Structures are given as structure tokens and as C-alpha cells.
Amino acid sequence: MYQKEERLDEKSLRELQSQRLVEQVKHVYENVPYYRNKMIEKGVTPDDIKSVDDLYKLPFLSKADLREAYPFGLLGVPLSECVRIHATSGTTGKRVIAFYTQEDINLWEDCCARAIIAAGGRKDDICQVSYGFGLFTGGAGLNGGSHKVGCLTLPLSSGNTERQIQFMQDLGSTILCCTPSYAAYLGEAMKEKGIDGDKNSLKIGIFGAEPWTEEMRRDIEKTLGIKAYDIYGLTETSGPGVAFECQEQTGMHVNEDHFIPEIINPDTGEVLPIGEKGELVFTAITKKAFPLLRYRTRDICVLSRKKCSCGRTLIKMCKPMGRSDDMLIIRGVNVFPSQIETVLIKEGYTSNYLIEVDRVNNSDTLEIFVELPIEHFSDTIKDVAKKEKELVGALTAMLGIKPTVRLVAPKTIARSEGKAVRVVDKRKLH
């Protein structure tokens, strides 16, 4: 069930990566003026890139570049060749839009199929996809991967827990794909109905899109009676399936025939040796519509070439150990404090606010404390509640998830003489 690229020796893999990298750099230089200009600024031409050893010569791309180039500035093919988009939540109203040709989708679904197979999934499995569908990549990626494996696929999307449990029970789902927090919630809901782990047909869970701990993994495994596997991806590089756990579960194998990983010092950009902790950078070497080179993920992690008992020779990345920016991942959604600040100022509030993130019963909570303007401090409780409701609506539209808003008295949120502390994350994520 392996694809041969998953078991290449290091020399053969590097030759394949080098060939694809050289072709991709040429493709990007000729078709993406935004990146060509970055290469010209750095004094690099496609002729300078002869193998993966030359990767360090290329300029980085960051989320700021993606916002600046929005919507078509990083498109690598004519729009008429694109068949789909996916998108992230916008940091200041602008989303990152990723474009896909049909071949891009085929390769992405292959990567997701590898993840399902590595977790033990086979053609006779029944795969329940409970990631959200739509602009979010989770549902579409695992749905397509499940089809490639040949599983009977249940594209339920997220939510409607009663229906999730009914289909799971009636059709005998054996694989569950969703966020870990939703898996935990499903487990609790099933337990309340008297459906313990030994009373359902589930065997495998493939969970990603948000940080989760080993303790949470064990809790989900016990509640659902499954083995739970991690999957990693970014909308910018395609979606889930960039990396995945095998049954050894000592890190996630990176699909190196499609994505070249690097670890860099987040402050200097210097490439660090394998085994050192730093910021993860990906170069997509097969994606044509949205071909990002040296994209800074802002995830902090470690890579390992340690031999794996599963037989795959693909490099492994550990679970992300934090971020080199201020992005939060809440219930699978990327949230930046700048998004919240944009809404508050637009709605007439000051920039004095505090974001509290916690995890209650395995589900993330987002609470935002905002100072009332002095002129509204004497408002009635009813008026304040109305303003809170209006802010919840505006923030939900921006973030894509619903927060709790608490309007508090002026000057009650602590000031800082240095960098303001805007976020308190109480989750124990690692």
C-alpha cells in the first residue's frame, strides 16, 4: 500500500527533489512576477538553482507577502486552468487564497490517502469526514484522500452531533477524520448516550488543524476506543497531508517528494542542522497553481531522519512546539490579535483589550475583554449587553468563530510600559 516515493533511499529522494525544485523555480520565475522580483532583488536566477543544496539561495515568502499579493499575485498558471480555491481566515479582512489545478488536487488527495493508509486505513474501511467543508481545506482534503484509498466515504462535515453519531452507528464508521477537540466532544456525547468505546465500530482517528497534547490523545483514544493519529498541513501549501503520523507515532512523516522542509533560525533566517529546534519552512515542488517557495510557516519544531519501523524513509517533523508570531489556533481556525483589534477600532472602541484562550472539556474557548469608552460607562446593563452582542456579531464575521465578549470599565485592563500583553493562553498544549 506504500507509494514508492515514501520508501526512496536518501540519494534517490534528493535527486527527485532536486529535479522537481529546478523545474519549479523555473516555473515560478517565468510565471509569478511577484516572486521573480524577490529573486531579482536577491540577485538569484533559475540558473543558480541546480539542486536542493541551492535552496538556501532563494528568498523566503511570508504571510505578509501573501496578503500583499492578494488575490492573484502569486498565481502560477492562467486562472482558466484553476478549478478550485481554498482560503484561510483573514488577518485584517484579507484572506489567503490558495488556487488549485486539477493536478494539484490529485497530488494533494494522494498525500491525504497516504495519511489514511499510514494510520491503517484500507479500501474496506468506512471513513467519516467530520472536518468542515467549504473554504477550509480539512473536509475536502480527507474526503478526496478517502476516495483515493477506496473507502466508503461519509462527507458529514462538522457539527450536527446527533446526525454524526447516528451515521457512525448505522453505517459502522471505522475511521473518523476531524479536529481533536471535536473528536473529544463526540466522545463525550456518545458516552452520555451509553455508547462506550467498545460499543462502536471506530478503529482509527485522524485529527489535525489545531494543537493537541499527548494527554488529549490518550483521553480521546480511551473514550472512542480508537488509535488517534496526527496530521499536519497548511492552506498555503495545499492543506492537510503535508505530513502525517504512521503507526510508530514518533513524529509526522513529511511528504518530501512534494514538500521540502527546512528549519531556520526565526530571527536570522539561517538554515539550521536537522535535529535543531527552529521555524519550519516549506517549499512546494509539485504544486503549479499556487507554488510557494520557502514559505515561513511560523511553526516551531524539530526534524528527524531517525529510521522508522514503518519502512517509510520520509523525514519526520515533531508536533509544532509553538509559534514565532502571535497567531493563535482556536478550534482549528487561525486567529490573529490584529483581526480583533481591527474590529474593535472600527466599532468605536480603544485598543485596550485582553484575549483569554482556554480549553474546557477538550474544547477551546475564546473570551475577549474590552474597555468601554468613558462616555458609555454609565450605560444600563441592558445597553451594555446589546453592545456586547453587536461586538460578538462583528468579531464572528471577521474571525469565523464565535467569541465571548466582556465589556469592562475604563482603565481596568492593565497597561504595560513595554510590549502590551494582549493574549493569555491558558491551554496546556505541550
Side-chain angles (χ1 to χ4, degrees), residues 53-66:
D53 294 331
D54 298 316
L55 187 59
Y56 75 94
K57 297 176 182 176
L58 292 168
F60 293 113
L61 277 172
S62 69
K63 183 85 77 165
D65 289 306
L66 273 57

Side-chain angles (χ1 to χ4, degrees), residues 36-151:
R36 179 168 66 244
N37 290 336
K38 288 183 79 75
M39 287 178 67
I40 290 168
E41 282 171 21
K42 204 173 179 194
V44 186
T45 71
D47 291 338
D48 297 315
I49 310 300
K50 296 179 172 60
S51 75
V52 288
D53 294 331
D54 298 316
L55 187 59
Y56 75 94
K57 297 176 182 176
L58 292 168
F60 293 113
L61 277 172
S62 69
K63 183 85 77 165
D65 289 306
L66 273 57
R67 287 199 297 271
E68 189 178 327
Y70 173 94
F72 302 119
L74 287 164
L75 192 60
V77 298
L79 198 58
S80 59
E81 291 182 24
C82 298
V83 297
R84 193 196 295 169
I85 67 157
H86 284 285
T88 64
S89 57
T91 55
T92 53
K94 276 189 181 179
R95 298 173 180 272
V96 171
I97 296 178
F99 296 86
Y100 301 74
T101 66
Q102 187 57 55
E103 181 61 11
D104 290 337
I105 289 172
N106 291 343
L107 294 175
W108 173 28
E109 290 177 349
D110 273 349
C111 290
C112 290
R114 289 180 185 181
I116 293 170
I117 289 165
R122 297 295 181 265
K123 185 181 184 302
D124 55 357
D125 276 299
I126 297 171
C127 185
Q128 183 162 327
V129 181
S130 302
Y131 284 108
F133 282 71
L135 289 175
F136 178 59
T137 54
L142 272 300
N143 186 73
S146 176
H147 285 198
K148 291 258 177 161
V149 177
C151 304

